[in-house]
Each structure stands twice: as structure tokens, then as C-alpha cells.
Amino acid sequence: MTGHRPGPFGDWLTKKRAGARSSEGEANRFVGGTTVSETAGSIRRPLAARGLFRTRSWNQAPAPGGAGRGAGHLSGHSRLAVAEGVGSLLRYLWRRLLWSIFVLVGLSIVIFVIARVVPGDPVRMALGPQAPESVVQEMRKAMHLDQSLPIQYYYWISGAVKGDFGISLMTRQPVTADLKQCLPATVELVFFAAVVHGVMGILLGILSASAADSWLDNVIRLVAYVGVATPGFVFAVLFMLVFGYWWHLLPVIGRLGYGVSAPPTITGLLTVDSLLTGNIPAFIDAFKHLILPGVALAMGAMSQEARITRASMVQNLNKDYIFNSFAQGIPKSVIMRRYLLKPSLIPTVAVLGLDIASTLAGAFLVELIFNWPGFARYGITGMLMKDLNVISATVIVVALTFVTVNILVDIVVAYLDPRIRLT
Amino acid sequence: MIRRLGASRAGKTFILAIAAILVIGTLTTGCAKTGTSNKGERMLRFTAANMPKMDPAIGSDDAAGTMHVNLYDSLVFPKNDGSVEPSIATKWETSPDGLVWTFYLRQGVKFHSGKELTAQDVAFSMQRLLTVGQGWAYLFKGRVDKAEAIDKTTVRFTLKKPFGPFLSTLVRLYILSKDDVMAHIQKPGNYGDNGDYGTQWLLTDDAGSGPYKVKEFKQGESVLAEQFKGYWNGFKPNSPTSIKLIGTTEAVTVRTLMSRHELEISDTFQSIEALKALGQIPGVEVLQYPSSGITDLTLNTKKPPTDDVNFRKAVAYAVDYDTLVKDIFPGNPKAVGLVPSALAGHNSKVNTPTYDPDKAKEYLSKSKYANQLDKYPLELAWVAEVPDREKIALLIQASLAKIGVKVNVVRMPWASLVDKAARPDTTPNAAIVSESPDYPEAGAHLDSRWHSRGAGTWLQMDWVKDPDLDKAIEDALSTSNWDQRMVKYQAIQEKLMDLQPSVGLMQGLTRRAYQAAYIKWPAAEAAKAKQPVTSLYGYVLYARDIEILTDKVPK
């Protein structure tokens, strides 16, 4: 099984065989932006612990009492590891939660103060230059803008913890009601974009790594370079030009076409709600409306994830455990899927989470171009109009998203790479 | 070295995947629906800078005004020449002292809810407007003492003091159904027993009797309104069956929608370049017509060096107006005086500065800053959100450089300008602004721009605050006799030119792209015939008068 065999790995195996022993030593590797010190054994241990290797690890000492062989030993070890893992995970989550609350409170104070000290009288801007001064003063009073900053903050935070972010000067509706309308629109868009850039980015990365240095790899890398360097709104304009202006293939504004009855609001996500209520025409129409803005939003992140996945896979391909797997005659597809892809996805997943959060924050121009009634557009318009309550609420929501996504990413990365301990 | 894992196989997979995506995409998307209608419907779609605040007691901008005129009726309706004609009021009379106005209402007018419109609804609408105090309230607040229903079809307004243009301002008193509003109030609210006075409900719905009624309000996206079949004044055979306001002014979006016949009339915020591109779409024309607005250069009369009248006059004579209206904004007429020429009472004979560098230097030499110009550079602000204004700012900078005045051009966000305009010491020496009055008389512009009560807002960055001028404006506005009022307006304009608190740059010119191939639009026809177009914003898109010829929509 380990003999010289023809195929794509033939030359590589020959070279690796010659230097196999020397590669067992310590080596500093740069994986996914992090330098780690690893040994061949340290790679194999987690693989063995997860049952990826059926045989005992090279560095594994025999267990006391002669019970160190086979599945029984590994199973006991796993139970202990799982218990330890769950404990450390809970401790980690608790610490992160406390830290997150601290971050959110700090951020709320900073943004609250900044929004109020930048130039511009929000009430006068909202009511117009001809509104009687008495009316302007009444509204200032109603918004507590006649009070000192600490008192204003007290009123604001008291409401915010109860989900009341005050009234928007821009829409004259409660900010919470506005968020209920616009947040699902952006969540749907970002989720769609996340699926597109997550799936397509990883697929393109795998494809590129699988065909490393071929024409296909070069094409994907070139496209990815362009994708990373090009802002989302450029893609938005481009897509609108191609699929809206020239070809009339897809709808270009809004979430639902005229004449299509909207499904009853359950989640606020039109595609989900239409499916839940069995309204297939609405689902198809809502999906069509998602395509152009969603893909435009996904392009940058997709390109980045494709590049990272490729780089990570190509790097891991050079590692001893992969060589060993080939040497043991494990089929290439299994090696790719089980041993190469999973560790190679660690940096991608880490970036993926941040990309999702960044997409939320960066959706403004895409929403503007496609007249998407979303959260990003609402927030930025609020900032331009100096709508104090909108500014504070949207920043808090974005911060909350980043914090949550970061925690989730840490957990997923810890799952993918047992060397990373949640301490 | 890394070896390929099978480039040819991966390449095939890749190509197959792309092909599959294209096939699935084509099957699932098909061709997007374009055109004006679904099965005989005639939809009029237009873009606006923002979503409208549809409550007349809350909103008063262009988007709001457009929806108000289509959703609500008013006692009188504006004509293109600036006068008014009967609408819900069939006739009216006023007391000799001009303090009491009595209106007799049309019978049988129904609200969208089916309830009949009565004098009580009119009185309620005025009272509510004054209580909420926003939107169009500033036209009536401090002027109207009370509104009362005399009987079912007679309503009486009593003014606190005579107000000559009262009849003209009534085009902005939109009539709401009292019963419908009170059925939707939320308690507690800011208005005591009246709770929120229906303000929340009216932001997304209507209580009107106008030709269209709200069907769907999508926050941040669009408003859809459909024909009110019971409208008292009926419709034209090809009047739109529905209207849709789309809340975007993005050039690429507008252009795409126009090309797909999914937009009939564009907003007024498209740049000259964007309009040029729109005009190249088959069937689309760019309409331009004089608006009631004026673009001028305000000069801060309380801050050196613009506190010197000779310096201000030097600026007025130094600006190269020809370049401005011929090369930069072709089509815009040069301003005559400081009041929009479309308004009744405009003084077309007022002495208006022209481009004359010698005269500018002469005035400059008389200025107390003549020998110390280097110490007093002129700060000129333009609003960052209106990029076209930079062109004007740079032209003025170049023009003033020729007479030795240094100009610091400052790009200023709107919020900052509003903030700086609150105090004379923070207001820039000069700023480029545009303003459109809310009723078609010179008094509206004079009052908002130069009466001291408006000081501290962006409308009065010249900080004139002249008690004599205040008195003259108040006197003119309280004159009931039309002719006498017009004469007084004209006299005030002459006095203003002596003070030179601003420099009139150019008359407003509204530009909109529209689907000339299948839209019959009275405003376009009037503009083409060189006849006046309504100067009140909102009314130009009174949809009932517009016709959509569905058989002429290009395939």
C-alpha cells in the first residue's frame, strides 16, 4: 500500500519518504495567520482521540494495567476529555459573556457621547428651519435633550435595557419598531450572502487547491484577487448593469415584486415566512429579489475565503500526517475530506465569522443601490440625519452581532482544532 | 512541492458547476417583469429623496408634499399662475378687517373610509395641525386663532391678525377625517386626552378624501396608493390606477428602472450628467421647468469682512453669472433680485448686480477692508450632500480672486452647516443655499428669509435682523388687498438690494426625466408651451391629472 504508485502524489511521496524521519522534529509553521509549534505526534494525538487513526499513536505511552490498547482505552480518555471540555467551554462562555457586557456598556457610553457632541441640532434638522422654536423646544424636552449628558444617558439606557430605544426623528416611529422591520431584511440578506460566500468561497478554495498551479487555479486566484480588492457596491452597480439594465433578468429593487402577496410576518425573513406558510410564489419572488444584492454583498468575503481555504489546504498538504495517510493507502478522497479539509478550514471559519459581521456593517451601499429596506441603510441614514436614538441603537446592534459571532467562531474553531483550548 | 490533485478533472467539475448554476438560474429567475402594469393596471412610479412623512401635521418636505396632494383634499387648489381655485370649498368670504374667513363646503364628498366630509373635519384638521405644530403648521401657527364648524357645510377661521396670503396658504391645509383619526389614537401620548392624535397611524396610512388612498407602506422602500373609486371629482380615462413613491435617488438605480419602464418620473436630485444619460434612453425625455426656488449666496452681515455693505456689493458684482448659467447650469435663468421670479409679487425691475469686475473693484476700494484683504479671507461653505454646489463655489472663488479677494472654499456636511447657522460668529461668511417657498407669493420668501423670527436657522445665514425690515414684511403680509400687498413686496425687495445681504445667483430650475413615450403629463406640456408650471412642490405630481398610455409602452 505504501509502495511507489503512479498518480498525482507519486513524486511528492518519494521525496517525503526520504525525509520522513527528519520531519518529525519540531517545526514552526504558519497556519491561518497563527504561528504554531507542532510535532508530528501532536498532530496525530487529536486525530487518534477522534478515532481518525485506528492504530495507537507513535508518541502514545501504554496505559497502566495494560488497558492501553484499542477502543476501550480511547473511549475512557474521550469521556474525561469531553467532561473537561464542557467545563472549560462553560467557564469560557461565562467569561466572554461578562466581558461582552462590559464591552457593550462601554461602547454605548462612547457612542452616546460622540453622537451628541458632533455638530448639528438633531431636532431642528428634523423639524426644519421654519418650525416654531416652541415646538423645537418641546421636542428637545420630550427627548431629554435639555438635560445633562449623564441624565440623558440614564434615560436612554433605562429604556434600552427594556428594549425601548426611543423615537426616531427620521421616521417618527419607535426605533424598536423600525428595527423590527429593517433588521430582518438585512438578516435575510446577510444570511443569504453568508451562505453564498461560505459555500462558494470554500468550494472555490478546495477547487483551487485541488488543482494547484493549474489554469483553473490561476483563474480562481485572479478572480479572488479582484474580488477582495473590489468594494461590494462596485459589484452591486455591475450586477445591476448586467442583470438589470442590459438583460432584465432579475428584479433590481425591494424585497418583493408588485402584485405578489407578502406572507404573514413570522420571522420577518420573507423567504422563510413564505416557506413556512406554503406561499411558493412569494418565496420564488423574494428569492429572486435576494440574488443580486446578496451575491454583490458576498463577493468580497467569498474571494477572501477562497484564498484562505486554498492557502491553508496547500500548506497542510505538505504535512507529515497527510504523507502518512497516503503512505497507509487511505483513499485520496477520504484524505481530502476527513484529514485535509477539516484542519484547513480553521482559518477560513475564523474569517467567515468576521466576514458575516462585517457584511452586516458594510451592507449600506448595497442596500442603497438595490433600495433594500434594511438595517444598514437605516443606520447610516440615521447617522447622516443625526438621529441620536437610531445611531445609538444601530451601533449597539452591530456590536452585539460582532460579539456573538466572535464567541460562536471561537467555539467552532475550538471544535475544529482541539489544540485550541477555551481558556 | 505541491502537486495538482487533478486539474483536468477539477476543471471539468468547475465548468459543469458553472453551467448548472446558469441553467438553474435561468429556469428559476426567468425574465423579470417590466413595464407599467399588471393586466390593464396603470401605475405611476416616481422616485423621491426619502420616505414621506404622510401625516400633514408631521411632514412638509418634497416627498411628503407629493403624497399629501394625492391622498388629501384641501379647501382650495393652486393654479399654475399662483392663484387658487375652489376645491372642497365652493366659495368663501372674508370680513372687511380680514380677520374672519368663512368657507362653504362641497356636499357629498366622501373620505376613503366612506364617511362624509363635513365642516367639523375641516375645523378638526386645523386644530390638530396647530396642536401637533409640525409639518405645515408653521404656515398657520401664531396666525389662526380658532377654527369652528358653523354648520355641516360651513367652516369659519378667525385670525389673530390680518394675514393677506391666508387663502394661498390653505392649499396646505389637508383635510382629515376626524372620526378616522380619533379611532386610531394611541394613549398615552403627547396630546393629553387626544393621546398621540393619530400621529403613529397616519405615518403609514391616511385619513383623507383625495384621489388616491394608501395601500401599502414599506418603511425605507416605497409607498403604494391606489385609486379611490369614490373620489368626488372623478378621474381621466387614463389616470393612473395606482401610484408608487420609491424612496431612492441613486443614479444607477433610477437609470436601470427607467430603462425597464419600471419608473415613470425621476426625482429632482439627479445630477446634470445623470439626466443626460437618462435622456438617452429611448422614449425618455428630460423636462426642465422654472421652479419657485432660488439659489443664492448668503453673506453674513455680522462677521468681517462681509459685515461691510461695500464688500458685499463687490462680491455681488464680481461673480461671473454668465459662466454659471450658460456653462455650469445651462438652462437656469439668472436670478433677478433676491426673490424667486415665479412668485406673485416678484419685482422684475429691481436693480440686480451683473458681472462687472471694475465696479466690483470700485466697491471694494470703498470697503473698510480694502487695504487688508489678506487678513480677511472669505470663508465660503457649500453643502457636502449636494455635489453640484462645489462647482458654484469654485466659480465664485475664481471670480473673487480676480478682484483680490481670497476665498477659502469649505465643504460642509448639512448637519454642521445647520449647527453653525445657529450663531452669527460661527456662521460662515458666505454659503450657497437654495430655498423654495410654501405658498406662491413673494411674502413667503421674504418672511422666511429675512424676518428676524427665523434668525438662527440655515435660512437666515445673512443675519440681517433689521427691525425696519421686520415691520415692512409684517405690514405687507397683513395687507388683505392683493394689489397693495404686491406693491409692498416689491418695495421690500428694493430695500433688500440696498442691503445686499445675499447675492441672487440663479433661479431654480427643476429637472426630471420622464417616460415621454407613454406619459401624458400636464406639467411637461405646459413647460413645452412655455406656460407656467405649478411652483408648489408636490403639486407637479398630482397623479389624477397625469395619463398613462399603456398601449404606447415600448415593448
Side-chain angles (χ1 to χ4, degrees):
Chain A
M1 293 293 286
T2 57
H4 189 80
R5 57 178 180 173
F9 277 86
D11 296 342
W12 180 73
L13 277 172
T14 310
K15 287 175 188 169
K16 289 300 285 185
R17 186 181 295 117
R21 285 198 172 275
S22 64
S23 69
E24 285 180 27
E26 292 260 337
N28 284 326
R29 305 279 165 85
F30 186 77
V31 180
T34 309
T35 303
V36 294
S37 180
E38 62 185 24
T39 64
S42 69
I43 291 288
R44 290 181 187 101
R45 271 197 301 276
L47 291 172
R50 290 171 184 280
L52 298 181
F53 281 111
R54 296 290 177 195
T55 55
R56 194 177 69 185
S57 174
W58 291 353
N59 292 357
Q60 189 180 342
R69 298 174 70 89
H73 165 74
L74 285 175
S75 175
H77 187 78
S78 294
R79 277 198 297 274
L80 190 62
V82 167
E84 280 177 5
V86 170
S88 70
L89 178 67
L90 289 176
R91 282 195 300 277
Y92 169 80
L93 281 178
W94 176 242
R95 273 197 305 276
R96 285 300 295 257
L97 200 63
L98 286 178
W99 183 244
S100 301
I101 291 170
F102 176 74
V103 167
L104 289 174
V105 170
L107 188 69
S108 73
I109 293 172
V110 170
I111 199 66
F112 187 88
V113 172
I114 288 175
R116 277 155 179 80
V117 297
V118 294
D121 177 352
V123 178
R124 177 52 80 181
M125 281 178 71
L127 297 185
Q130 309 222 49
E133 186 60 24
S134 59
V135 176
V136 174
Q137 291 302 340
E138 272 172 32
M139 187 168 272
R140 282 200 186 111
K141 200 172 174 185
M143 294 181 69
H144 308 294
L145 293 176
D146 56 339
Q147 310 271 6
S148 65
L149 275 181
I151 302 288
Q152 286 184 45
Y153 182 75
Y154 165 76
Y155 279 115
W156 182 79
I157 199 74
S158 308
V161 293
K162 289 182 274 187
D164 176 11
F165 289 102
I167 299 285
S168 160
L169 285 170
M170 193 168 57
T171 65
R172 303 298 171 86
Q173 299 197 62
V175 173
T176 311
D178 286 341
L179 289 178
K180 276 182 189 167
Q181 287 182 33
C182 67
L183 199 54
T186 295
V187 168
E188 186 169 39
L189 185 64
V190 167
F191 184 75
F192 178 79
V195 171
V196 171
H197 68 70
V199 173
M200 291 301 293
I202 290 170
L203 281 180
L204 286 174
I206 294 169
L207 204 60
S208 191
S210 303
D213 296 330
S214 70
W215 66 268
L216 179 63
D217 179 34
N218 290 336
V219 168
I220 293 174
R221 286 162 70 190
L222 182 68
V223 171
Y225 271 125
V226 174
V228 167
T230 309
F233 72 86
V234 175
F235 284 114
V237 171
L238 194 69
F239 290 170
M240 183 164 273
L241 182 72
V242 175
F243 300 105
Y245 187 76
W246 287 340
W247 291 348
H248 296 200
L249 270 179
L250 288 161
V252 291
I253 57 167
R255 298 178 72 193
L256 214 54
Y258 174 66
V260 180
S261 57
T265 302
I266 300 169
T267 62
L269 279 62
L270 289 181
T271 46
V272 176
D273 290 352
S274 53
L275 277 183
L276 289 176
T277 53
N279 188 346
I280 300 303
F283 171 77
I284 293 172
D285 194 68
F287 185 76
K288 282 183 192 175
H289 280 81
L290 265 176
I291 293 174
L292 291 185
V295 176
L297 203 56
M299 287 299 287
M302 184 176 78
S303 305
Q304 177 154 310
E305 283 146 25
R307 281 165 51 78
I308 289 172
T309 306
R310 179 200 178 274
S312 185
M313 283 187 74
V314 165
Q315 195 165 31
N316 286 338
L317 209 56
N318 264 337
K319 291 190 175 165
D320 294 339
Y321 75 97
I322 295 294
F323 160 71
N324 188 43
S325 304
F326 275 107
Q328 292 187 41
I330 299 172
K332 190 183 81 186
S333 60
V334 176
I335 294 173
M336 287 291 290
R337 197 174 59 248
R338 295 184 63 177
Y339 304 145
L340 182 60
L341 184 58
K342 195 172 168 184
S344 300
L345 282 184
I346 293 168
T348 311
V349 170
V351 170
L352 180 75
L354 291 176
D355 277 342
I356 293 172
S358 302
T359 309
L360 175 66
F364 167 62
L365 284 170
V366 172
E367 289 187 350
L368 199 65
I369 289 167
F370 290 103
N371 201 34
W372 192 265
F375 168 80
R377 188 177 168 196
Y378 175 72
I380 301 286
T381 312
M383 286 175 197
L384 294 174
M385 298 287 294
K386 213 192 164 192
D387 194 334
L388 301 175
N389 291 333
V390 171
I391 295 171
S392 303
T394 49
V395 169
I396 289 297
V397 171
V398 171
L400 201 60
T401 309
F402 267 88
V403 165
T404 310
V405 168
N406 269 329
I407 292 175
L408 289 175
V409 165
D410 285 351
I411 293 169
V412 173
V413 168
Y415 164 75
L416 288 173
D417 185 355
R419 291 171 300 174
I420 296 170
R421 292 284 173 253
L422 300 177
T423 53
Chain B
M1 288 295 292
I2 304 303
R3 287 293 307 268
R4 291 183 289 168
L5 294 178
S8 59
R9 194 174 152 196
K12 279 179 196 167
T13 311
F14 179 71
I15 290 163
L16 279 173
I18 294 292
I21 288 170
L22 285 176
V23 170
I24 292 168
T26 308
L27 288 176
T28 54
T29 58
C31 282
K33 193 179 288 175
T34 62
T36 60
S37 60
N38 285 337
K39 290 182 184 171
E41 283 188 38
R42 297 178 299 277
M43 190 190 283
L44 178 74
R45 289 156 287 200
F46 47 91
T47 48
N50 51 279
M51 290 299 289
K53 295 180 185 75
M54 294 197 297
D55 183 348
I58 297 288
S60 60
D61 58 14
D62 189 32
T66 303
M67 291 313 294
H68 294 161
V69 303
N70 285 295
L71 300 174
Y72 294 94
D73 277 321
S74 49
L75 290 174
V76 289
F77 196 85
K79 290 164 74 175
N80 287 358
D81 62 2
S83 61
V84 297
E85 62 185 7
S87 180
I88 294 299
T90 54
K91 58 179 182 173
W92 53 86
E93 58 196 30
T94 178
S95 64
D97 59 3
L99 285 174
V100 180
W101 290 74
T102 308
F103 291 84
Y104 302 95
L105 310 187
R106 189 179 299 278
Q107 293 186 41
V109 175
K110 301 275 187 193
F111 284 111
H112 299 155
S113 60
K115 296 184 175 76
E116 189 173 354
L117 189 154
T118 66
Q120 270 222 337
D121 296 304
V122 180
F124 168 80
S125 301
M126 175 63 88
Q127 197 53 54
R128 180 178 178 276
L129 184 62
L130 294 173
T131 305
V132 176
Q134 302 171 41
W136 303 109
Y138 67 89
L139 292 170
F140 306 104
K141 210 169 171 71
R143 289 173 177 145
V144 176
D145 186 31
K146 59 182 176 180
E148 52 194 334
I150 305 301
D151 57 38
K152 194 179 168 187
T153 56
T154 310
V155 66
R156 180 184 293 157
F157 298 104
T158 306
L159 308 187
K160 289 180 178 171
K161 54 188 175 185
F163 180 49
F166 182 62
L167 195 60
S168 298
T169 60
L170 284 177
V171 299
R172 297 300 193 188
L173 175 65
Y174 297 104
I175 304 165
L176 292 81
S177 162
K178 181 181 178 183
D179 290 347
D180 292 336
V181 172
M182 295 311 284
H184 289 90
I185 60 170
Q186 291 177 17
K187 289 186 177 178
N190 294 332
Y191 309 104
D193 288 345
N194 293 315
D196 72 341
Y197 235 144
T199 49
Q200 282 300 304
W201 176 63
L202 286 168
L203 286 174
T204 57
D205 215 319
D206 78 85
S209 59
Y212 293 87
K213 57 180 182 178
V214 174
K215 186 179 180 189
E216 188 178 51
F217 180 89
K218 294 181 180 174
Q219 184 60 270
E221 187 182 338
S222 62
V223 189
L224 179 68
E226 61 184 3
Q227 255 187 20
F228 171 45
K229 301 294 180 196
Y231 186 58
W232 63 272
N233 207 10
F235 292 90
K236 291 181 178 176
N238 293 310
S239 293
T241 52
S242 57
I243 59 172
K244 188 176 189 179
L245 179 149
I246 302 169
T248 184
T249 55
E250 278 303 305
V252 63
T253 315
V254 168
R255 192 175 168 188
T256 304
L257 292 174
M258 273 277 180
S259 75
R260 294 158 60 117
H261 308 117
E262 291 177 13
L263 176 66
E264 277 68 46
I265 301 175
S266 79
D267 52 271
T268 57
F269 294 87
Q270 299 300 310
S271 66
I272 301 276
E273 294 77 15
L275 285 165
K276 227 177 241 179
L278 286 169
Q280 287 168 1
I281 297 171
V284 173
E285 284 182 16
V286 175
L287 169 70
Q288 45 181 44
Y289 55 92
S291 72
S292 58
I294 186 170
T295 301
D296 54 14
L297 182 72
T298 63
L299 299 171
N300 185 346
T301 58
K302 300 288 184 282
K303 192 174 177 179
T306 42
D307 59 345
D308 185 315
V309 67
N310 287 311
F311 189 94
R312 297 199 296 271
K313 285 192 174 290
V315 172
Y317 280 99
V319 176
D320 184 354
Y321 301 98
D322 281 351
T323 302
L324 180 69
V325 298
K326 285 180 182 164
D327 299 334
I328 301 178
F329 294 98
N332 282 66
K334 181 187 177 303
V336 177
L338 293 174
V339 167
S341 56
L343 300 180
H346 170 253
N347 188 343
S348 58
K349 292 175 184 165
V350 76
N351 184 24
T352 307
T354 52
Y355 178 49
D356 188 342
D358 292 336
K359 208 164 184 178
K361 283 176 189 167
E362 190 186 320
Y363 274 114
L364 199 58
S365 65
K366 292 180 194 169
S367 157
K368 61 184 174 185
Y369 302 107
N371 299 319
Q372 39 187 342
L373 290 176
D374 53 332
K375 287 185 189 168
Y376 293 98
L378 187 133
E379 184 191 18
L380 168 56
W382 62 277
V383 179
E385 287 85 349
V386 191
D388 271 352
R389 300 264 172 89
E390 187 178 18
K391 299 171 191 170
I392 306 175
L394 294 175
L395 173 74
I396 293 171
Q397 186 183 45
S399 296
L400 294 190
K402 289 178 187 168
I403 61 167
V405 175
K406 189 187 173 193
V407 175
N408 293 331
V409 172
V410 182
R411 177 182 181 272
M412 202 171 282
W414 179 239
S416 296
L417 190 65
V418 170
D419 198 47
K420 284 182 181 290
R423 285 168 36 206
D425 59 321
T426 53
T427 303
N429 287 118
I432 302 160
V433 294
S434 289
E435 197 231 341
S436 296
D438 295 311
Y439 57 94
E441 280 192 24
H445 191 72
L446 295 171
D447 190 30
S448 64
R449 283 284 279 111
W450 291 289
H451 192 288
S452 297
R453 80 169 77 88
T457 69
W458 65 268
L459 280 172
Q460 297 207 6
M461 287 192 284
D462 32 30
W463 287 97
V464 176
K465 293 193 79 172
D466 182 337
D468 292 340
L469 193 59
D470 290 351
K471 275 184 196 162
I473 293 171
E474 285 168 18
D475 178 43
L477 289 175
S478 62
T479 304
S480 299
N481 182 283
W482 172 275
D483 293 334
Q484 288 174 9
R485 195 161 72 242
M486 298 303 130
V487 169
K488 288 179 180 176
Y489 287 155
Q490 291 174 352
I492 295 170
Q493 290 167 64
E494 282 174 10
K495 181 177 167 63
L496 273 172
M497 292 316 291
D498 293 338
L499 291 172
Q500 198 75 62
S502 292
V503 178
L505 295 172
M506 56 185 180
Q507 292 297 328
L509 194 72
T510 302
R511 296 179 176 89
R512 290 179 189 265
Y514 76 108
Q515 303 279 6
Y518 64 88
I519 293 288
K520 208 173 161 193
W521 185 15
E525 289 171 6
K528 282 177 185 171
K530 305 286 181 196
Q531 289 172 350
V533 177
T534 182
S535 57
L536 295 180
Y537 56 78
Y539 282 90
V540 79
L541 288 176
Y542 183 59
R544 182 177 157 270
D545 285 349
I546 300 172
E547 292 184 79
I548 297 179
L549 312 174
T550 46
D551 55 327
K552 294 194 175 171
V553 178
K555 302 295 178 195

